[in-house]
């Protein structure tokens, strides 16, 4: 993600900020411009005038009422919710202690995921835009139901357990499942992969190529997951899959690979914004040796992402934290990532071969 500036004083600000720490201006994010804007907040509800000659904008209702959002709407947009919040159909019980704070963390991760999709020019219509399969979210809590709340995707509906916003709960689940990585953002990036499989692969010409790389998705899904949890992954899974869970079924292999593509896209844009450039790892000099017939995607992965991820892991270890990117990208995984890249280019016209993409007008 790029670095943003307060349009009132020029101070660097972050994607989630609601106030500039330098000048105190209220801040709002404009999705259609990919910009943070400084605003004067009027006493009455309604439009907020942007400081400078930037017009009038309306804050998302969840910004005004609950302070869980910082996105803005243009004056002619319908409704009271921003482009992110209007995807959310079901909220957790906000009257429960700590629930608004947990919901805010969930919405923050969702906004970051949607931002990357927008940067890749990938459409994510709401249910109003696409009644058959529009994207919507249900944020549920185990505290409000006797049924087990599971994170998952079904025909455009992504359900997420709000308990995942609690660090202790999420870490306990990560340890119980033997996962090297578990975050709210990772959940969203994984589940949105299932959404795009339905939209971009299931009905179209990419299916045969998908099966060549990922396997036949017609394999019984429930039985495959049962086998995975009962017996564990094959011993050689690291040579073929990005994670152990990816080896459970072709759909999960796809969703895990898709999630990693988004991880890498956002990571590369952030590095670019901060001026971070690493030629190669000193312990892996072969990284800087080009391969014959290597395409631009593989070169970018080798020259930029692999050195960056090794640096991030080393830095985290220096500070006593787990690896930031605890994954190894075997050749079959790189080939699958290349498939995701080509699909994103075909669907949105962009990919991160020449990341970052052009800035919004």
């Amino acid at each position: 993600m790029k670095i943003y500036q307060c349009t009132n004083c020029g101070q660097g600000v972050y994607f989630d900020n609601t106030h500039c720490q330098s000048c105190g201006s209220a801040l709002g994010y404009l999705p259609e411009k990919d910009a943070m804007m400084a605003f004067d907040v009027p006493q009455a509800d309604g439009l907020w005038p942007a400081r400078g000659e930037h017009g009038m904008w309306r804050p998302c209702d969840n910004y005004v009422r609950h302070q869980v959002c910082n996105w803005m709407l243009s004056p002619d947009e319908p409704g009271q919710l921003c482009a992110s919040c209007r995807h959310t159909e079901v909220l957790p019980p906000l009257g429960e202690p700590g629930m608004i704070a947990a919901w805010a963390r969930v919405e923050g991760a969702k906004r970051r995921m949607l931002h990357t999709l927008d940067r890749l020019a990938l459409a994510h219509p709401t249910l109003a835009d696409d009644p058959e399969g529009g994207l919507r979210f249900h944020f549920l809590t185990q505290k409000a139901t006797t049924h087990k709340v599971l994170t998952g995707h079904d025909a455009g509906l992504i359900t997420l357990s709000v308990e995942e916003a609690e660090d202790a709960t999420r870490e306990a689940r990560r340890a119980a499942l033997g996962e090297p990585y578990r975050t709210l953002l990772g959940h969203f990036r994984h589940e949105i992969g299932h959404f795009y499989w339905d939209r971009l692969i299931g009905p179209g010409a990419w299916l045969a190529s998908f099966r060549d790389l990922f396997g036949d998705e017609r394999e019984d899904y429930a039985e495959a997951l049962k086998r995975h949890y009962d017996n564990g992954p094959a011993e050689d899974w690291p040579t073929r899959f990005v994670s152990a869970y990816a080896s459970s079924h072709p759909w999960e292999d796809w969703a895990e690979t898709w999630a990693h593509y988004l991880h890498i896209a956002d990571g590369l844009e952030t590095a670019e914004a901060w001026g971070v450039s690493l030629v190669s790892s000193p312990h892996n000099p072969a990284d800087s040796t080009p391969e014959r017939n290597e395409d631009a995607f593989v070169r970018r992965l080798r020259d930029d992402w692999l050195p960056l991820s090794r640096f991030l892991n080393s830095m985290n270890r220096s500070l006593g934290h787990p690896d930031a990117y605890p994954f190894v990208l075997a050749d079959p995984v790189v080939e699958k990532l290349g498939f995701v890249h080509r699909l994103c280019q075909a669907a949105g016209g962009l990919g991160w071969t020449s990341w970052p993409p052009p800035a919004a007008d």
Side-chain angles (χ1 to χ4, degrees):
M1 183 171 289
K2 72 179 189 181
I3 302 171
Y4 297 92
Q5 285 80 39
C6 171
T7 53
N8 184 58
C9 70
Q11 173 73 22
V13 296
Y14 293 102
F15 181 66
D16 297 313
N17 285 160
T18 57
H19 288 84
C20 176
Q21 294 297 314
S22 177
C23 68
S25 296
L27 298 174
Y29 177 73
L30 280 53
E32 62 191 62
K33 294 181 176 293
D34 188 23
M36 294 291 289
M37 197 73 67
F39 291 92
D40 290 314
V41 181
Q43 293 297 317
D45 292 340
L47 298 178
W48 289 9
R51 293 188 170 178
E53 301 298 324
H54 299 293
M56 305 285 285
W57 300 81
R58 189 166 70 254
C60 176
D61 193 51
N62 287 330
Y63 191 165
V64 176
R65 294 180 61 198
H66 301 293
Q67 294 76 55
V68 301
C69 181
N70 68 342
W71 283 24
M72 309 294 289
L73 297 80
S74 62
D76 56 349
E77 281 186 78
Q80 300 298 316
L81 297 176
C82 71
S84 174
C85 290
R86 68 180 62 133
H87 281 291
T88 302
E89 281 190 333
V90 176
L91 302 179
L94 301 184
E96 293 288 330
M99 196 58 68
I100 290 181
W103 174 44
R105 289 192 289 272
V106 170
E107 290 286 357
K110 186 189 75 175
R111 287 194 298 274
R112 183 171 287 264
M113 182 268 296
L114 291 176
H115 173 271
T116 304
L117 299 181
D118 289 340
R119 296 290 275 154
L120 291 168
L122 295 172
H124 45 88
T126 64
L127 197 62
D129 299 324
D130 180 3
E132 295 296 323
L135 178 65
R136 65 261 192 218
F137 296 85
H138 289 185
F139 298 142
L140 308 178
T141 173
Q142 197 65 61
K143 300 171 185 176
T145 180
T146 58
H147 302 290
K148 186 173 179 60
V149 176
L150 298 174
T151 294
H153 169 268
D154 182 20
L157 170 61
I158 292 177
T159 302
L160 186 129
S161 169
V162 178
E163 277 75 17
E164 290 285 342
E166 301 170 1
D167 292 342
T169 300
R170 190 177 62 255
E171 175 60 19
R173 292 176 180 176
R174 186 201 65 77
L177 293 171
E179 299 171 339
Y181 170 95
R182 189 181 182 94
T183 68
L184 281 174
L185 185 55
H187 282 317
F188 280 117
R189 287 174 172 167
H190 174 100
E191 299 304 337
I192 203 68
H194 291 299
F195 172 78
Y196 282 109
W197 194 94
D198 287 350
R199 292 187 68 83
L200 303 179
I201 296 179
W206 292 83
L207 187 57
S209 297
F210 167 86
R211 289 174 177 167
D212 287 342
L213 283 174
F214 294 87
D216 193 335
E217 82 290 347
R218 292 170 293 188
E219 176 190 2
D220 187 279
Y221 180 71
E223 181 59 34
L225 288 189
K226 183 178 185 302
R227 183 172 61 249
H228 173 77
Y229 286 119
D230 287 349
N231 305 325
E235 290 187 4
D236 68 341
W237 73 261
T239 66
R240 297 181 289 133
F241 301 96
V242 73
S243 69
Y245 187 58
S247 68
S248 63
H249 187 274
W251 277 337
E252 298 306 334
D253 190 11
W254 160 260
E256 287 284 271
T257 305
W258 176 278
H260 279 261
Y261 186 82
L262 298 190
H263 289 334
I264 295 167
D266 199 5
L268 284 176
E269 185 177 30
T270 301
E272 177 82 15
W274 285 90
V276 176
S277 178
L278 301 171
V279 176
S280 65
S281 167
H283 300 293
N284 294 274
D287 288 348
S288 60
T289 304
E291 298 288 338
R292 282 186 182 178
N293 302 321
E294 187 177 69
D295 65 19
F297 169 81
V298 177
R299 285 198 302 273
R300 190 79 204 271
L301 193 69
R302 183 204 67 223
D303 292 346
D304 294 333
W305 177 248
L306 293 183
L308 177 64
S309 64
R310 289 169 182 149
F311 166 75
L312 292 173
N313 288 343
S314 296
M315 182 61 72
N316 265 29
R317 293 174 190 179
S318 297
L319 299 176
H321 294 296
D323 284 357
Y325 190 75
F327 302 96
V328 175
L329 303 182
D331 287 345
V333 175
V334 172
E335 190 173 2
K336 293 171 187 176
L337 285 167
F339 176 86
V340 176
H341 177 69
R342 293 190 297 275
L343 183 63
C344 286
Q345 285 187 310
L350 295 173
W352 50 258
T353 300
S354 57
W355 198 269
D361 293 332

